[in-house]
Amino acid sequence: MSRTAGTAGGLVAAMVAGLLMCIAGPAPARAQEDQKPKFGPDAVPITRDADYLRSAPAPDYWALSPFYVPQTTSASCSLASVTMMLNALRGLPAQASERLVTGRHLLDRLDDDHWRAATAEDGEGISFAELERYVRRSLAAYGIDAEVEVWRPRDASPATLAELRRILAENERSADDIILLAFDQGTLTGDIGLGHIAPLGAYDPATRRALVMDPDRLWYVPYWTGDARLLDAMLKPDRADPEGSGLIRVRARRVSG
């Protein structure tokens, strides 16, 4: 899943080729774009609203935030997101000899040429179906016994939105499960529409807002967005996922190493 590179040329190429998940950076092509707000009306940066994180346990946020890393190329949001997920589920290793998971180490352990090429600079990124496959393989590679639940919305009906709210609220109860969101980034941030992947940092059921731990750190910090708008972003099609994307919820049962 990919998002456009940080140059006008990369932007044009991505728009012509169609979108996969995550290529990084909006790179405004016109001078007037420089005056746009950093976030559109559907995203509130954590720097402006941290009240929920101060008042609620927010277990997923505190599990993820110590391991919050940026995507290191224009197309590696999937790699950064899976890396954060693995570290959050494993926790801080007990022994000095144990290393944290890094994107490079993960790629080396899986030794998968396709994911390596897809997440390289100017790579095409990966699809939602490929994300599920790499989540499962990564969990196995690090000995994490977990249940993987894939949820793909088919419409924006009240019933579908209610189901999304149920999943997000249930996930917020503990740090034993982590959600990876696959969505159209521009729908949330107000920039160009590009497929993207990011962990869910928290969900506030009172305000019905989700915290997106966006790995696109060249341009963004974590931001809140309404759950209905998040559903819209998941439903937006691109070339890799013409029927839209969704989320992957990983529930750990045990960690063996």
Side-chain angles (χ1 to χ4, degrees):
M1 305 178 174
S2 71
R3 182 166 147 62
T4 57
T7 66
L11 176 60
V12 172
M15 293 176 69
V16 171
L19 301 173
L20 295 171
M21 289 223 174
C22 121
I23 301 182
R30 294 170 295 179
Q32 58 265 36
E33 291 289 307
D34 293 339
Q35 303 306 312
K36 285 180 58 178
K38 171 60 71 175
F39 289 94
D42 296 307
V44 178
I46 194 175
T47 53
R48 293 213 307 261
D49 191 345
D51 290 347
Y52 178 78
L53 302 177
R54 294 189 179 105
S55 61
D60 288 330
Y61 175 77
W62 295 110
L64 284 162
S65 60
F67 307 109
Y68 184 30
V69 296
Q71 56 191 75
T72 56
T73 74
S74 61
S76 63
C77 61
S78 64
L79 184 61
S81 296
V82 174
T83 297
M84 284 186 268
M85 176 202 76
L86 292 170
N87 280 317
L89 291 175
R90 292 172 81 229
L92 189 66
Q95 304 300 320
S97 59
E98 296 179 271
R99 66 194 303 174
L100 300 180
V101 182
T102 65
R104 180 176 178 180
H105 188 223
L106 176 56
L107 285 178
D108 288 344
R109 183 169 285 203
L110 265 60
D111 194 22
D112 187 289
D113 290 339
H114 174 69
W115 202 15
R116 185 177 284 112
T119 56
E121 191 62 51
D122 298 324
E124 290 188 338
I126 62 173
S127 69
F128 186 53
E130 289 174 319
L131 175 63
E132 178 189 355
R133 184 164 70 247
Y134 287 124
V135 164
R136 293 183 185 276
R137 290 188 57 197
S138 299
L139 291 166
Y142 284 90
I144 301 175
D145 181 18
E147 177 185 350
V148 178
E149 173 189 349
V150 177
W151 187 76
R152 193 166 200 160
R154 295 303 179 189
D155 55 44
S157 67
T160 300
L161 180 56
E163 178 66 5
L164 174 61
R165 287 171 174 165
R166 182 195 67 78
I167 293 170
L168 298 181
E170 188 176 279
N171 183 78
E172 182 69 4
R173 294 172 187 166
S174 80
D176 294 333
D177 49 0
I178 298 295
I179 283 179
L180 298 185
L181 305 167
F183 59 97
D184 178 78
Q185 189 183 46
T187 298
L188 303 185
T189 63
D191 286 311
I192 55 175
L194 301 161
H196 198 46
I197 302 168
L200 171 72
Y203 178 66
D204 180 357
T207 61
R208 293 179 171 173
R209 295 189 306 169
L211 181 65
V212 180
M213 300 288 283
D214 200 317
D216 189 0
R217 301 306 308 282
L218 184 63
W219 300 98
Y220 300 118
V221 297
Y223 49 86
W224 294 98
T225 192
D227 51 20
R229 196 58 174 156
L230 178 60
L231 178 58
D232 290 340
M234 290 177 176
L235 287 166
K236 189 168 183 178
D238 62 29
R239 180 170 65 87
D241 294 295
E243 296 183 356
S245 300
L247 62 82
I248 297 176
R249 182 182 179 190
V250 181
R251 290 185 262 198
R253 289 188 282 261
R254 65 179 178 81
V255 178
S256 60

